[in-house]
């Protein structure tokens, strides 16, 4: 199989420099670990916050079929012009996969139209992500649930619009649940939010997590249709 | 306030006769306990499996705005003609609230178009029903979650169509989650599935559970519009 | 019945001053005509673009249960701080009904997360708004369809997220269709978009259009639940 | 590309024998014309009402990835055991594409849980199927709309559950609209309803119609996941 999709993995890439524990788990960055799981199947490129234009130039985005987004401590440093650029590309068809703490990124909030807030706890909860849509392409190759021995807890209420398709619901030891795999359509583009991936756990080395991300890239691939024609329509026709 | 809605509570009413534990918890039947929580607000009537026509005559159903359904061990004894009668009434606008083991009733399966199967365990799990749709009228008066100290566990995958609106998601001690408050539209009618209510627990005395059922009755009340006109349409008009 | 809901009708109120035809049709403003249809049932107040803070002070919004929004030629003059204020109130539960050309307002685009563009034509198309959700409370009192002899045409593709509930679909003489009655949930709030109402037609005097807006106000009324608790959750509990 | 999907086209195949006009348009049957558009890409087999077991033996269905269904005048002659067999296969993952008058087939009504009725008129209406979900895989290769010079009219209200994804909405000359491309998930299976295809018009030779059916087959292909485990769950675990 030839590699047909161009994937860009965007990572804030700050925790890896500030927290030795994170650096130890992710010596090549969170983006590096995610990319390791995708490189055999897709053309993968990387972009980080501290690159010029955060690595998301017009050229890069125009050559991107699906963009992955991991951010946490520096959401506010992402420039509005770049957010707007990504937003327009999604409406035009680029897929977007938002990971874990990316729920609070500017781009996700802009696409959702809600606050995207939630409950959280860092206490080594066990997480089980149950498949609630068993025939969904994003659940291909996944068992009844994915179990992660230790993760940060995210709990409801998760302030998002009702997902167009809900694929996973998480259970946590401490008594919480969370809609952890959520599909949306925005313009021509597809958006998938996937919960796991706290920086202090080796989540992105987990084979099942990697499979979900791989599936999501395929699901989110752009349509080949041209962008709809908006604005002043043709004059009134006689059709009857 | 005058009582404006006519509610019929249907109960299989078999466990109460066969299991002394159930008889002790529900001396007036499961239907009696549910009705106790509704009688101050609605006109309530009762119907059970062993009544003629299961208590669901044309006359009763035509005078019913919202029907509640609890059944478990005798789903197969419900006659097809009665199932069809209830089905037609729902399509014409009668609300239907299906409780707990009613997930496997003929009427629920017929309205869903799926198998409606699930996982279960009787082991005194604790259940937390989290509100995931905080502005929904069925969640009025309910806190972040309803906690039930002991309940039967129901777990995903729950073989239902994706709910039109998902109001509650349950957490269970044993590691499972469940979509436990699910809204559907069928024809002119509204259908709400609500999970809790195993016969060996006093769930229907719980004030929060009663509040949800009360809210659901109000949500499911029939429209006053007339049934749509189907079939051969008017001749082609000149409209342009 | 006491008037229980506080409705604020926001109108840009510019066309009425610039176009004599509009002034003739709506001598009391578009907001005045809309309000005429609601005043017997609700506490109605009015706000317009040229009032201080566009008439939408904290005090006014905090006392508003449901806000109606009509704007067209001056969307860009609406200040960001007011848009943000309305947005936060919707997430906290205030209902919002967006009318006609309000599809391109800042507040609607912010809540949708899409471009909200569409096709349009000013050519006296006839419009038929067909009810596709016959049991929906917003369709109460409405026949199979609402016919408007002359309206501006709006056609697909309409760049919105898939509606949570689709109530009306419009037919136009010139060969177009449009999703013209769309329900959304955002945070604790409910949002309804309703298509008709071009400024050069007397649409807001139409009894069926007024009935839909009346129904929508009732549907969009705020929940009494308190705003969800977000952020750092309780410590890990022993629940098993 | 190797042909990877097994498609079975089921046709009632009665109109072709009874109405010379239909026989003239579809000399190889409606199924033949549909199959002509699919044979280069998929393994296609055919089944008709008058074959033993309607051509839908266990063997055939077990070897079918996606089933297409065209029926009209003889819905009642389809045996319940075959309907049940197809139903179970859909829940287990087989895709199902229901065409035109198949809206009234036993299998579609059983999967929908509604009456599936609609308005109709045979008067050579022009139909335009507008794409309302521009990034959807079923709309690949399709322009803004598909125009069919002459078709039977189907109008709202169409008595179906709200589609999980709505891809097409039809406009008809006579003033009606119709949700004409509707996606559903049932169990592990995917169901697509596609409106056009009255037996007296050459609709299934239309290249755009054929493209939609081709896309729908790809969209509806089965998951490789195993069927969910239902029933009595594992004993209560200590997870905390």
């Amino acid at each position: 199989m030839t590699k047909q999709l161009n994937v860009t993995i965007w990572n804030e890439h700050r925790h890896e420099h500030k927290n030795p524990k994170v650096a130890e788990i992710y010596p090549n960055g969170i983006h590096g670990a995610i990319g390791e799981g995708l490189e055999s199947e897709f053309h993968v490129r990387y972009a980080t916050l501290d690159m010029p234009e955060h690595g998301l130039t017009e050229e890069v985005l125009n050559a991107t079929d699906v963009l992955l987004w991991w951010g946490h401590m520096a959401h506010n440093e992402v420039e509005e012009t770049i957010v707007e650029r990504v937003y327009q590309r999604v409406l035009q068809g680029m897929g977007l996969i938002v990971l874990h703490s990316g729920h609070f990124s500017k781009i996700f909030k802009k696409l959702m139209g809600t606050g995207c807030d939630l409950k959280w706890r860092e206490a080594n909860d066990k997480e089980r992500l149950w498949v609630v849509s068993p025939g969904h392409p994003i659940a291909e190759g996944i068992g009844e649930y994915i179990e992660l021995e230790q993760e940060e807890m995210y709990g409801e209420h998760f302030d998002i619009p009702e997902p167009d398709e809900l694929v996973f619901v998480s259970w946590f030891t401490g008594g919480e649940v969370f809609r952890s795999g959520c599909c949306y359509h925005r313009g021509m583009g597809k958006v998938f939010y996937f919960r796991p991936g706290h920086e202090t756990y080796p989540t992105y080395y987990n084979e099942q997590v990697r499979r979900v991300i791989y599936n999501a890239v395929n699901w989110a691939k752009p349509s080949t249709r041209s962008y709809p024609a908006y604005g002043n329509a043709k004059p009134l026709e006689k059709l009857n």
Side-chain angles (χ1 to χ4, degrees), chain A:
Chain A
M1 190 178 98
T2 56
K3 295 179 185 180
Q4 289 173 324
L5 292 177
N6 294 297
V7 175
T8 300
I9 303 175
W10 191 89
N11 181 17
E12 188 182 277
H13 205 210
R14 288 279 173 84
H15 288 284
E16 294 92 330
H17 296 129
K18 301 208 169 177
N19 184 340
K21 186 177 172 188
V22 178
E24 194 187 326
I25 298 171
Y26 292 115
N28 301 316
I30 288 172
H31 53 293
I34 295 170
E36 208 181 276
L38 298 175
E39 284 188 331
S40 66
E41 304 293 333
F42 307 113
H43 291 285
V44 176
R45 97 179 69 192
Y46 302 92
T48 57
L49 180 64
D50 292 323
M51 293 167 74
E53 306 186 41
H54 311 321
L56 299 174
T57 60
E58 292 275 6
E59 196 185 357
V60 166
L61 283 178
N62 288 340
T64 298
D65 293 308
V66 180
L67 177 67
L68 278 69
W69 194 277
W70 197 102
H72 183 215
M73 63 191 291
H75 291 314
N76 284 336
E77 294 182 41
V78 179
E79 289 171 31
E80 295 297 337
T81 53
I82 306 301
V83 174
E84 182 66 24
R85 190 184 287 167
V86 173
Y87 176 72
Q88 292 301 334
R89 277 287 296 144
V90 171
L91 297 187
Q92 285 157 20
M94 183 182 72
L96 178 69
I97 298 171
V98 176
L99 296 166
H100 190 62
S101 44
H103 75 90
F104 247 3
S105 62
K106 290 179 179 176
I107 183 61
F108 189 62
K109 292 198 285 187
K110 188 175 175 73
L111 284 160
M112 293 296 102
T114 57
C116 299
D117 212 341
L118 48 76
K119 280 200 187 61
W120 56 271
R121 176 178 56 232
E122 294 187 51
N124 299 337
D125 273 83
K126 183 196 295 284
E127 176 178 14
R128 280 188 181 173
L129 298 105
W130 286 89
V131 174
V132 299
S133 183
H136 199 285
I138 292 181
E140 278 286 350
I142 303 299
E144 289 194 287
Y145 58 83
I146 300 171
E147 184 159 312
L148 300 171
E149 274 306 307
Q150 294 191 334
E151 253 291 352
E152 182 183 14
M153 183 283 290
Y154 277 10
E156 296 282 348
H157 177 243
F158 184 18
D159 184 18
I160 47 170
E162 181 128 8
D164 291 335
E165 301 152 55
L166 180 63
V167 185
F168 296 102
V169 172
S170 283
W171 175 99
F172 291 94
T173 341
E176 292 86 2
V177 297
F178 195 74
R179 289 168 293 170
S180 51
C182 301
C183 298
Y184 295 94
H185 300 82
R186 290 290 182 271
M188 298 275 291
K190 298 177 194 74
V191 179
F192 182 62
Y193 175 78
F194 189 46
R195 198 214 75 85
H198 191 60
E199 66 272 9
T200 60
Y201 304 108
T203 301
Y204 294 117
Y205 299 103
N206 179 293
E207 286 305 317
Q208 296 266 287
V209 168
R210 285 182 169 187
R211 179 63 194 267
V212 170
I213 295 172
Y214 164 80
N215 291 339
V217 169
N218 279 317
W219 171 83
K221 70 167 181 281
S223 167
T224 63
R225 294 183 72 232
S226 53
Y227 195 62
Y230 297 112
N232 203 166
K234 288 185 303 181
L236 193 59
E237 289 180 77
K238 279 281 172 211
L239 290 167
N240 177 309

